[in-house]
Amino acid sequence: VSQSRYLPSKVQIGNSFTLLINSFCLINLVLSLGEIRTRTKPYLTQLHQRYVIMKSENLHKEFTENPDYFKRYHEVREENMSTFNQDEIPHKMIIKTLEKINTKRTKTIVDAGCGLAHISKHFKDDKRFNFINYDHCAVDKTITVCDISKMELEDNEADYVILSLALWGSYRDWE
């Protein structure tokens, strides 16, 4: 199949495809899965492009009104991360860093935008850390539902704050 300057916005999965190239012409194509990937945006990329431009309060409203959106995003993200080098996954890198901390006093760690709370689950029985997890939706009782642009923390309440891959909402929310 030769490259076309017209790219489909939607493609039905299967071996045979009918693509609307323009309003005047329909073409039947047989594409390999690799060719499909080069011609369509992955679902995760589509979500990232949508969520990153939303104001945090609007995204918070969308996820609290439609918790299945939050759940689906994290399912797709987890599936995507399973293809990564496991040593380069951000929450695993943070876990390795925290494992190096030696302390007699319990450290309070805020995980802002914790998602599925992987980090706090890893340390659930570790007396060195007390986690406070925030995100738009709570997948379990360890997470407080909150728009992280409006967290109400007291001065010096946390020893560490994790903000990893919590990029949703416009940067204008923080100005």
Side-chain angles (χ1 to χ4, degrees):
V1 176
S2 63
Q3 277 289 71
S4 170
R5 63 187 180 100
Y6 302 102
L7 300 177
S9 60
K10 292 183 181 178
V11 176
Q12 182 178 354
I13 303 241
N15 290 334
S16 181
F17 300 88
T18 301
L19 304 176
L20 180 60
I21 299 302
N22 61 39
S23 59
F24 305 107
C25 173
L26 282 176
I27 296 178
N28 289 313
L29 301 173
V30 176
L31 300 175
S32 71
L33 192 53
E35 289 171 319
I36 295 167
R37 286 188 182 122
T38 63
R39 288 176 165 73
T40 61
K41 289 182 182 175
Y43 182 61
L44 189 59
T45 300
Q46 292 175 32
L47 293 176
H48 286 169
Q49 288 176 338
R50 180 167 186 272
Y51 295 155
V52 76
I53 61 170
M54 293 177 77
K55 285 189 145 276
S56 187
E57 65 189 49
N58 294 336
L59 182 60
H60 183 69
K61 181 179 180 194
E62 181 167 308
F63 280 153
T64 53
E65 290 176 357
N66 304 287
D68 285 344
Y69 291 2
F70 183 86
K71 180 181 177 192
R72 179 68 182 136
Y73 166 75
H74 283 282
E75 287 171 352
V76 171
R77 184 175 164 264
E78 291 292 307
E79 181 181 327
N80 185 55
M81 283 197 172
S82 71
T83 67
F84 290 10
N85 176 337
Q86 296 301 296
D87 292 334
E88 295 176 1
I89 294 176
H91 72 264
K92 291 186 178 188
M93 294 170 67
I94 293 166
I95 288 168
K96 282 183 181 181
T97 300
L98 292 174
E99 284 177 337
K100 296 174 187 174
I101 295 175
N102 292 317
T103 182
K104 291 180 183 179
R105 184 179 67 83
T106 300
K107 301 289 185 182
T108 298
I109 300 174
V110 171
D111 193 347
C114 66
L116 303 178
H118 289 301
I119 299 169
S120 67
K121 287 176 183 172
H122 179 85
F123 291 106
K124 69 180 179 173
D125 296 321
D126 192 321
K127 302 298 180 206
R128 295 177 296 164
F129 306 118
N130 173 47
F131 279 85
I132 303 171
N133 296 314
Y134 293 108
D135 213 321
H136 293 293
C137 291
V139 296
D140 62 39
K141 64 183 177 167
T142 68
I143 301 168
T144 300
V145 174
C146 171
D147 173 352
I148 64 170
S149 71
K150 297 173 176 44
M151 286 186 300
E152 295 185 11
L153 294 172
E154 297 295 322
D155 289 344
N156 301 312
E157 186 173 344
D159 296 293
Y160 301 98
V161 175
I162 299 169
L163 188 64
S164 175
L165 300 179
L167 50 98
W168 307 132
S170 167
Y171 69 90
R172 293 179 297 269
D173 292 332
W174 305 90
E175 293 181 324

